[in-house]
């Protein structure tokens, strides 16, 4: 049985009519030791079947080590939404529940290689010249969360220095306790900065710019 | 938990134009604002809708059983239906923007957003609804996301095995408590009123739960903790002894307050902070109208907000005809 209900499939198909460029969904998975690995893989394949503009590639996290390293994937299930180029847009854990919105939005933006961020925001982001790693913690029952995830991914698309992850809290309890997540959305920037709650565009961009400036050293994400 | 996939209707975005003077600017995109927009487009008014989100409180409502035409519909599905209807009309939209200040310069209203944009209109409808009320006690703001939560469906999973307090005595507090019963060993239910205002069905369910300890007629004095919530201090209203309860989570469900701050210096508000309106949605300022939960209209419901939104636009239309 399909994961996506007919009405959701239809709405997604409708949205995908506006895709312009090819999009590739790169999924890292394995059979065991992962709550929603199986469902995430099925979701990726179902989505790819809804539009000729979307293709999927499934890698085994343990066997395809090189690929995992190339994409810097350190946990699964993981999905990278990319085009000819990897923009640094990642989903860790299944993009289900409300997060399905941010997943479709990432596909749309990557396909069009453009975001609807304001000119002022784009200008500020273009001045970032050090690596920034944004992690947005979510739960699948959080109606406020997709806005934060979408914002983080738009920033990643606009800047080659930014990598943005959605992190589904239930799938990664060790990260929840590492970062002390007790409410979502929670945004962690370069390990040491962050904020709670969904911020409007201007404030979100400001936080990221601030963090990129105060990060002591350009560090690899990991 | 059952795995489902939620996809909202797409938002088309011909965005706002700062150089234009709009016939009508609608602030807020809940049921009131969206209905006002549809009526405005049908009256061919040059309209701008500015809102933080499309859907308002209905986005957070699980199920709706009292909106005509649908015996039962999920809140977000109803929002999708509303959006579908709005997107048929050529209305400029600023979605994801928050209005920071509304003022009137001569005959023209000026609307300043948090993002620094300034829009202008001959008439304005305030339809900015309501948001969660905060307790206003020490520790509350500082510990948001560190144990203090206003969204139990979002954050409950982080409190598995932890002791928690739920503040409030209405349906949303009771629903939050019942949600937490599944995962938390101890739940304190605290409310300032002497009798609960939740529906009898919920009351019965809570009374059966041994994990829930109730403190009616208690006031929250303080939320304590350095980096995370560690305890909460409560005081009986009749002057008894102050108690400290050890908890790691505090869920605040004490109702709503109107989003009217941005207009407070311009228009008359009632004691509850609602924009005072007459029965045709006029406010104290000519050309300025209000509709839905943010207004002083009695009863806050989706169908009422929608009806008020329609009415406000029709009144604004009359005003524009007269002032031509
Ligand atoms: C949990 C819950 C369950 C409910 N269940 C029902 C039910 O079953 N049936 C029913 O009829 N009613 C129900 N209600 C009440 C109903 O949702 C409200 O009466 C209705 O949504 C009010 O509509 P509104 O358009 O006036 O305001 P809102 O829905 O509050 O919408 C206000 C809009 O304004 C935006 N906004 C706020 N401030 C600004 C700003 N400064 N700048 C720009 N935009 C801003 C908001 O983002 C939002 O989009 C429920 C409410 C809740 C909270």
């Amino acid at each position: 049985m399909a994961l996506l209900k007919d009405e959701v499939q239809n709405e997604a198909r409708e949205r995908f009519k506006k895709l312009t460029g090819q999009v590739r969904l790169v999924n890292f998975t394995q059979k065991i030791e992962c709550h929603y690995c199986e469902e995430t893989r099925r979701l990726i394949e179902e989505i790819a079947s809804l539009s000729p503009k979307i293709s999927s590639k499934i890698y085994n996290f343990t066997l395809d080590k090189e690929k995992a390293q190339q994409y810097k994937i350190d946990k699964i299930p993981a999905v990278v939404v990319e085009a000819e180029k990897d923009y640094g847009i990642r989903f860790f854990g299944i993009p289900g529940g409300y997060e399905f919105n941010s997943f479709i939005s990432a596909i749309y933006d990557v396909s069009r290689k453009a975001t609807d961020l304001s000119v002022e925001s784009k200008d500020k982001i273009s001045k970032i010249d050090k690596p920034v790693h944004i992690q947005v913690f979510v739960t699948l029952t959080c109606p406020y969360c997709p806005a934060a995830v979408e914002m983080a991914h738009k920033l990643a698309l606009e800047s080659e220095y930014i990598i943005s992850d959605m992190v589904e809290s239930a799938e990664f309890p060790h990260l929840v306790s590492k970062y002390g997540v007790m409410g979502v959305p929670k945004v962690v920037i370069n390990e040491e900065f962050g904020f709670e709650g969904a911020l409007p565009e201007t404030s979100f961009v400001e936080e990221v710019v601030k963090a990129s400036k105060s990060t002591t050293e350009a560090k690899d994400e990991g | 938990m059952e795995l489902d996939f939620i996809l909202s209707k797409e938002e088309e975005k011909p965005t706002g134009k700062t150089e234009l003077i709009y016939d009508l600017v609608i602030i807020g995109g809940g049921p009131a604002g969206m209905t006002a927009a549809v009526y405005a487009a049908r009256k061919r008014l040059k309209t701008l809708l500015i809102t933080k989100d499309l859907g308002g409180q209905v986005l957070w409502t699980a199920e709706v059983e009292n909106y005509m035409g649908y015996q039962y519909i999920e809140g977000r599905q109803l929002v999708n239906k509303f959006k579908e209807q709005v997107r048929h009309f050529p209305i400029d939209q600023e979605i994801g923007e928050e209005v920071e200040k509304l003022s009137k310069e001569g005959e023209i209203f000026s609307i300043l957003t948090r993002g620094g944009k300034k829009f202008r209109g001959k008439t304005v409808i305030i339809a900015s609804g309501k948001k969660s009320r905060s307790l206003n006690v020490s520790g509350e703001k500082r510990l948001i996301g560190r144990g203090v939560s206003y969204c139990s469906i979002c954050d409950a999973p982080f409190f598995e095995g932890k002791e928690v307090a739920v503040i409030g005595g209405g349906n949303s507090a009771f629903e939050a408590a019942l949600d937490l019963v599944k995962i938390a060993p101890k739940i304190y239910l605290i409310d300032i009123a002497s009798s609960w205002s939740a529906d009898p069905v919920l009351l019965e369910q809570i009374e059966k739960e041994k994990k829930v300890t109730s403190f009616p007629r208690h006031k929250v004095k303080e939320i304590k903790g350095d980096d995370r919530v560690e305890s909460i201090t409560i005081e009986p209203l009749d002057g008894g002894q102050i108690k400290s309860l050890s908890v790691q989570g505090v869920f605040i469900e004490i109702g709503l307050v109107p989003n009217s701050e941005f207009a407070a210096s311009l228009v008359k508000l009632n004691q509850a902070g609602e924009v005072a309106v007459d029965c045709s949605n006029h406010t104290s300022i000519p050309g300025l109208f209000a509709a839905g939960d943010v207004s002083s209209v009695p009863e806050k419901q989706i169908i009422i907000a929608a009806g008020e939104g329609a009415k406000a636009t029709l009144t604004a239309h009359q005003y524009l005809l007269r002032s031509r």
Side-chain angles (χ1 to χ4, degrees), chain B residues 28 30-32 51-53 57 66 99 128-130 259 292-293 301-302:
Chain B
T51 185
K52 283 199 278 190
D53 60 55
Q57 291 166 59
N66 50 11
V99 172
S128 45
K130 292 198 164 175
N259 293 312
D293 279 20
Q301 289 286 295
I302 301 167

Side-chain angles (χ1 to χ4, degrees), chain A residues 4 7-8 11 15 18 96-98 100-101 104 116 139 141-144 169 180-184 196 200, chain B residues 3-10 12-13 59-60 77 114-115 144-146 151 153-155 158-159 228 248:
Chain A
L4 299 176
E7 56 176 74
V8 177
E11 175 66 21
R15 296 261 197 120
K18 296 199 185 117
Y98 284 102
F100 191 54
N101 284 297
I104 300 298
D116 54 6
T139 57
T141 49
C142 165
Y144 312 81
S169 301
V181 182
M182 297 181 91
V184 285
E196 271 90 25
Chain B
L3 184 63
D4 66 350
F5 297 89
I6 300 159
L7 188 55
S8 347
K9 281 276 178 237
E10 189 177 11
E12 296 258 342
K13 288 214 255 179
L59 284 173
W60 331 129
Q77 280 179 336
R114 191 122 97 114
I144 290 175
R146 296 158 194 277
C151 180
I153 52 160
C154 304
D155 300 337
F158 300 111
F159 295 86
R228 317 193 151 191
Q248 287 89 60

Side-chain angles (χ1 to χ4, degrees), chain A residues 98 143, chain B residues 56-64 73-77 302:
Chain A
Y98 284 102
Chain B
Q57 291 166 59
V58 187
L59 284 173
W60 331 129
T61 303
E63 46 208 56
V64 178
I73 188 163
E74 285 176 26
R76 50 176 197 261
Q77 280 179 336
I302 301 167

Side-chain angles (χ1 to χ4, degrees), chain A residues 15-26:
Chain A
R15 296 261 197 120
F16 292 158
K17 282 188 188 152
K18 296 199 185 117
L19 300 185
T20 50
Q22 286 291 329
V23 176
R24 203 160 82 120
L25 307 175
V26 184

Side-chain angles (χ1 to χ4, degrees), chain B residues 13-25:
Chain B
K13 288 214 255 179
T15 51
K17 297 171 190 65
T18 46
E19 68 282 4
L20 252 174
I21 296 179
Y22 286 95
D23 291 328
L24 173 62
V25 178

Side-chain angles (χ1 to χ4, degrees), chain B residues 27-34 50-67 97-100 127-131 172 175 256 259 261-262 291-295 299-306:
Chain B
I27 303 173
M34 283 202 270
I50 310 179
T51 185
K52 283 199 278 190
D53 60 55
L54 278 180
Q57 291 166 59
V58 187
L59 284 173
W60 331 129
T61 303
E63 46 208 56
V64 178
E65 296 181 62
N66 50 11
Y67 192 81
E97 270 291 355
E98 180 174 350
V99 172
E100 199 166 66
S128 45
K130 292 198 164 175
K131 64 164 183 244
S172 47
E175 277 161 13
L256 304 165
N259 293 312
E261 314 82 20
F262 62 85
D293 279 20
V294 73
S295 78
E299 305 305 340
K300 314 297 181 198
Q301 289 286 295
I302 301 167
I303 199 157
I304 293 174

